[in-house]
């Protein structure tokens, strides 16, 4: 047995070449690989040259890590995710390599400003929000805690759309992040696998007529070509691989069609292959039912599994040991089709029988559930599934038969429960339930916060949990402190080093040592100065992008995340409207100046979310333009929220808005980023907020509103939002201002759907929580008025949230799910 923890080498960066040597390397790359000399080099050329120069150094570590994993026969982790929201990589890689200052100096000696070229790096937005960002943090943490790991996904030519705000409305524009090439990646033409779709299944029988095996004859085939990006862990402990697949035609041009004069038809294959890696579906927490999405899911799952099996076979020569040498993780149900795909490969290609294959499959896969929202739970119509993946349909039926047999054999389940366990949903149109498929094909199913895991056991997976007790476990999400503290908040990092030394750089939980400084007046002053500088930087971004001036001495109250009704940006906007009315009615009161910042994208087809963006912008225009407000309240919607934007917004926040309807946010990770950067949270007892409160303490967080069980009770107990609204003068006033067109002059009906939704059903309990929320905001004002008190609480937040590091999360996965040392 290998020991559960690895020997730790002393904390040190790889040898530093010095800025002169690095400058020479950058010049060399500029000349011979970019093909420019310094007189004609554009800033973009300098960016390319800098990345490639450092990348060359990374490659040595990359190769040696790969070799070591091979020689030591280490178990590898394969993280399958349809999304990796990585953002910019340059700072990450340079800083983890310990080369940040060296690169800065090297470039300065060449007359180039690092920050100018850094801003040119495209923000790789191959994800929607939290789920994709989690995958990116996990990749960095796996490299940091020294786990041999590969991430597998799709190299979308167009990732998340770019959001512009025109006349207050969201407009979506394509994001073409690959326009100038991608200096980080390596194309691996030799690493290409065929992926099939459609066609038919043939059965092969032996001489006695017994079924020997099934052979799938796909009607279409495409190639998946690998593109590899190195992922550098902290201090370059290890460099892992993010392998993204791109679709290529098997036959780029169909010559027979071309020769017959059908020049467009001759390109049909090419276009179909291209479509697979063209766009990321832009809906967060909502299942996209299109056929292309199922094709994408199968495309990347199949290519990844073929790659994994080939690697395993070439090293070990057999597949029985797969579960001992490979842990394959499913990030949500998007790659759940990998379960029947592994069965197909083991049975149809490698000749195993069902039972062996099923045993190997279950011991190899783990699955993370990310949401309980019914509209987000994936299921596919049986006819579509059968047409696109006929062999997988057979295997799903075979797996289902096995599972239902087991369930009936226990004698514990009635017909209704059996129907819920089934992989096939039978009421209405018949659909394949991808959550159930991922569950039965995995030995571990985890939720992403304590509350979410508890609700999983009680709701969606109650029956499967009863059939397979012990499989469900919790792994509370985390964030990488490298990006979300060291890189985005250099000021706070330097201050912490000065106060408590460098231990927290390698063990973020040691940031606890700052706790004692909350009572130190001199330290609080320094802390406040760092926060102020970060707010100035954020104010400059707002001025540059929007031409709006915000005062860094005001309270910066920030809600940035995908726009979704359950996240309740509407609650925040309504409170702003109510506060606006209060400021005008009571100008004599001592109002604490506040800036409310919003950011986030709405799924293009999500009507209400887009309306909420328009409302935020309408409210901003009226409030910011009203002299009676005297600058005491400003509202700003910052367009195109993405990872790079988050890196400026998080450090500049005083107040973090985490106000989802309790029971609906699985975990949240934005909440963790804010707290680590010294913002206080106003939030509900939802997702990881519950655990953040346990760690920072009740006095250092503003909790309000219904709890998850109370939301459930209200919903089932005849909740009457109209009565609640009528009982709240502030809310009534805010809603009537909106309905009467105060914010939409000439178009009073613009928000009729939003407002009537609150009166008639209010599924998200906005009205039910409004008064509690407004009261919590006034408590926030009271604390804010005492800067010593506020800063002490903020420092305690920083000190006490080191546990929410993705290093900790990954170590838990390694120990409890993957069985790998970390
Ligand atoms: C962290 C992050 C998220 C997730 O935010 P939540 O508040 O947890 O929903 C979404 N988008 C970006 C760009 C992020 O960095």
């Amino acid at each position: 047995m290998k020991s559960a923890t690895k020997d730790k080498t002393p904390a040190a960066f790889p040898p530093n070449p010095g800025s002169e040597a690095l400058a020479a390397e950058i010049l060399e790359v500029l000349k011979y690989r970019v093909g420019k000399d310094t007189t004609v080099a554009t800033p973009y050329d300098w960016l390319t040259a800098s990345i490639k120069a450092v990348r060359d150094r990374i490659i040595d570590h990359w190769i040696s890590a790969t070799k070591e994993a091979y020689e030591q026969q280490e178990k590898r982790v394969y993280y399958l995710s349809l999304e990796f929201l990585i953002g910019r990589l340059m700072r990450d890689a340079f800083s983890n390599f310990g080369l940040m200052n060296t690169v800065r100096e090297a470039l300065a000696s060449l007359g180039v400003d690092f920050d100018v070229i850094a801003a040119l790096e495209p923000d790789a937005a191959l994800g929607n929000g939290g789920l994709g960002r989690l995958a990116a943090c996990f990749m960095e943490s796996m490299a940091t805690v020294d786990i041999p790991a590969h991430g597998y996904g799709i190299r979308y030519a167009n990732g998340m759309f770019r959001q512009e705000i025109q006349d207050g409305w969201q407009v979506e524009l394509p994001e073409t992040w690959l326009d100038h090439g991608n200096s980080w990646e390596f194309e691996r033409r030799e690493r290409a696998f065929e992926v099939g779709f459609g066609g038919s299944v043939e059965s092969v029988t032996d001489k006695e007529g017994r079924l020997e095996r099934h052979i799938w004859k796909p009607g279409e085939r495409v190639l998946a070509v690998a593109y590899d990006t190195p992922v550098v862990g902290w201090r370059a402990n290890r460099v892992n691989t993010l392998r993204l697949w791109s679709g290529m035609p098997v036959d780029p041009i169909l010559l027979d069609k071309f020769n017959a004069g059908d020049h467009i038809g001759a390109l049909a294959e090419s276009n179909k292959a291209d479509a697979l890696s063209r766009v990321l579906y832009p809906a967060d927490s909502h299942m996209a039912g299109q056929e292309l999405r199922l094709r994408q899911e199968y495309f990347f799952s199949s290519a990844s599994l073929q790659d994994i099996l080939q690697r395993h076979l070439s090293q070990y020569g057999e597949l029985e040991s797969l579960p001992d040498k490979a842990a394959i993780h499913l990030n949500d149900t998007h790659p759940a089709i990998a379960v029947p795909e592994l069965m197909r490969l083991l049975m149809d290609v490698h000749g195993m029988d069902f039972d062996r294959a099923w045993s190997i499959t279950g011991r190899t896969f783990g699955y993370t559930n990310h949401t309980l929202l019914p509209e987000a739970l994936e299921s596919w119509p049986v006819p579509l599934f059968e047409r696109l993946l006929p062999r997988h349909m057979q295997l799903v039926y075979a797996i289902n038969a096995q599972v239902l047999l087991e369930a009936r054999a226990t004698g514990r389940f009635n017909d209704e429960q059996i129907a819920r366990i089934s992989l096939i949903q039978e009421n209405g149109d018949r659909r394949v339930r991808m959550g159930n498929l991922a569950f039965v094909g995995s030995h571990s199913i985890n939720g992403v916060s304590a509350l979410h895991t508890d609700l999983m056991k009680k709701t969606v997976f109650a029956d499967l949990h009863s059939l397979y007790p012990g499989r469900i476990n919790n792994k509370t999400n985390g964030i990488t402190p490298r990006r979300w503290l060291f890189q985005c908040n250099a000021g706070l990092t330097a201050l912490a080093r000065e106060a408590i030394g460098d231990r927290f750089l390698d063990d973020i939980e040691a940031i606890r040592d700052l706790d004692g400084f909350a009572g130190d007046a001199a330290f609080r002053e320094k802390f406040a100065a760092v926060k102020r500088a970060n707010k100035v930087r954020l104010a400059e971004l707002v001025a540059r992008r929007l031409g709006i001036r915000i005062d860094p001495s005001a309270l910066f109250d920030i809600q940035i995340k995908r726009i979704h009704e359950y996240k309740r940006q509407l609650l925040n906007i309504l409170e702003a409207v109510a506060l606006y009315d209060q400021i005008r009615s009571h100008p004599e009161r001592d109002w604490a100046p506040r800036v409310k910042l919003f950011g986030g994208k709405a799924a293009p087809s999500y009507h209400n979310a887009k309306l909420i963006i328009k409302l935020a912008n309408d409210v901003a225009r009226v409030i910011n333009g009203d002299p009676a407000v005297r600058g005491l309240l400003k509202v700003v919607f910052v367009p195109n929220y993405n990872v790079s934007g988050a890196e400026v917004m998080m450090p500049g926040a005083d107040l973090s808005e985490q106000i989802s309807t309790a029971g609906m946010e699985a975990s949240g990770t934005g909440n963790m980023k804010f707290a680590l950067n010294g913002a206080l949270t106003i939030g509900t007892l939802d997702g990881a907020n519950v655990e953040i409160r346990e760690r920072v303490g009740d006095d250092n967080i503003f909790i309000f509103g219904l709890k998850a069980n109370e939301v459930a009770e209200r919903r089932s107990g005849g909740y009457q939002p109209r009565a609640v609204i009528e009982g709240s003068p502030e809310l009534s006033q805010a809603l009537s201002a909106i309905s009467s067109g105060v914010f939409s002059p000439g178009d009073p009906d613009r928000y009729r759907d939003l407002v009537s939704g609150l009166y008639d059903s209010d599924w998200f309990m906005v009205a039910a929580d409004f008064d509690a929320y407004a009261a919590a905001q006034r408590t926030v004002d009271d604390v804010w008025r005492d800067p010593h008190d506020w800063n002490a609480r903020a420092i305690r937040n920083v000190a006490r949230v080191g546990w929410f590091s993705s290093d900790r999360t990954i170590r838990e996965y390694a120990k409890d799910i993957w069985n790998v040392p970390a």
Side-chain angles (χ1 to χ4, degrees), residues 129-130 133 484 560-561 567 641-643 646 668-670 673:
R133 184 54 233 174
W484 298 113
I560 42 177
K561 47 182 76 247
K567 290 177 181 276
Y641 176 54
N642 60 7
V643 172
T669 49
K673 300 169 198 166

Side-chain angles (χ1 to χ4, degrees), residues 85 123 127-131 133-134 137 284 479 483-484 560-562 566-567 641-647 650 657-658 665 667-674:
L85 187 49
D123 183 294
N128 273 283
L131 174 150
R133 184 54 233 174
L134 185 77
C137 284
D284 193 58
I479 54 167
R483 182 177 294 258
W484 298 113
I560 42 177
K561 47 182 76 247
R562 288 301 293 256
Y566 86 79
K567 290 177 181 276
Y641 176 54
N642 60 7
V643 172
S644 303
E647 287 168 10
M650 300 288 175
E657 296 272 355
Q658 308 300 335
E665 185 75 271
S667 164
T669 49
N671 45 5
M672 301 167 188
K673 300 169 198 166
F674 276 111

Side-chain angles (χ1 to χ4, degrees), residues 29-79:
V29 172
L30 184 71
K31 187 166 168 195
Y32 292 106
R33 285 157 70 195
V34 184
K36 294 275 186 85
D37 80 16
T38 53
T39 54
V40 292
T42 64
Y44 207 90
D45 295 327
W46 284 112
L47 173 70
T48 306
S50 307
I51 290 174
K52 293 206 164 159
V54 176
R55 199 188 68 170
D56 288 349
R57 306 185 143 264
I58 292 172
I59 291 171
D60 295 331
H61 288 251
W62 198 12
I63 290 173
S64 72
T66 308
K67 226 170 108 189
E68 188 184 294
Y70 183 85
E71 281 165 3
Q72 304 295 316
Q73 305 201 341
E74 291 171 319
K75 184 172 183 178
R76 297 182 179 92
V77 171
Y78 297 106
Y79 196 81

Side-chain angles (χ1 to χ4, degrees), residues 62 81 89 210 246 264 272 306 477 510 671 690 699 768 775 815:
W62 198 12
S81 179
L89 274 180
R210 282 182 307 233
S246 188
I264 301 296
K272 274 201 152 163
Q306 291 183 63
N477 280 167
N671 45 5
V690 175
D699 292 343
K815 180 165 170 291

Side-chain angles (χ1 to χ4, degrees), residues 163-171 609-621 637 750-751:
Q163 178 194 58
E164 276 189 11
I165 302 297
Q166 289 175 13
D167 187 29
W169 295 100
Q170 167 175 294
V171 175
K610 292 179 110 170
L611 213 46
I612 288 168
I613 291 177
K614 174 62 172 162
L615 178 61
N617 281 290
D618 276 348
V619 166
R621 182 178 34 78
F637 189 95
R750 184 175 297 156
Y751 299 110

Side-chain angles (χ1 to χ4, degrees), residues 589-797:
R589 284 192 198 157
D590 175 26
W591 296 104
R594 203 187 264 245
V595 181
K596 273 186 180 280
L597 293 126
F598 292 87
K601 293 173 184 175
S605 60
Y606 191 168
H607 175 75
N608 277 356
K610 292 179 110 170
L611 213 46
I612 288 168
I613 291 177
K614 174 62 172 162
L615 178 61
N617 281 290
D618 276 348
V619 166
R621 182 178 34 78
V622 171
I623 293 180
N624 299 349
D626 187 341
V629 177
R630 295 167 291 139
L632 293 170
L633 176 62
K634 282 211 167 150
V635 178
V636 178
F637 189 95
V638 182
N640 200 40
Y641 176 54
N642 60 7
V643 172
S644 303
E647 287 168 10
V648 181
M649 313 262 282
M650 300 288 175
D654 295 305
L655 188 65
S656 157
E657 296 272 355
Q658 308 300 335
I659 59 176
S660 51
T661 313
M664 303 194 79
E665 185 75 271
S667 164
T669 49
N671 45 5
M672 301 167 188
K673 300 169 198 166
F674 276 111
L676 186 60
N677 283 278
L680 304 196
T681 301
I682 183 167
T684 47
L685 282 179
D686 199 15
N689 296 353
V690 175
E691 291 153 86
I692 291 176
R693 179 179 71 153
E694 283 168 10
R695 287 183 163 78
V696 303
D698 234 344
D699 292 343
N700 302 301
I701 190 167
F702 304 96
I703 295 293
F704 70 92
L706 296 174
K707 298 174 184 57
N709 61 315
E710 294 167 343
V711 168
E713 282 160 25
R714 286 276 195 117
R715 280 180 181 160
S716 59
Y719 170 50
Q720 303 275 358
R722 184 171 298 273
V724 173
I725 295 168
E726 282 161 5
S728 167
E730 288 197 359
L731 179 57
S732 303
Q733 188 283 331
L735 289 174
S736 69
I738 292 170
S739 306
S740 64
V742 168
F743 305 101
S744 52
D747 187 7
D749 282 347
R750 184 175 297 156
Y751 299 110
R752 203 186 43 211
D753 291 356
L754 280 186
V755 173
S756 66
L758 293 189
Y759 276 97
D760 298 340
S761 84
D762 191 21
W763 178 251
F764 301 96
M765 299 282 153
V766 169
D769 273 344
F770 182 85
D771 282 353
Y773 178 59
Q777 290 287 20
R778 300 295 73 81
T779 308
V780 168
D781 287 340
D782 291 341
V783 178
W784 177 254
R785 284 193 192 90
D786 179 354
H788 296 304
D789 188 13
W790 184 278
N791 288 325
R793 295 185 201 216
I795 293 163
R796 285 188 206 106
N797 267 265

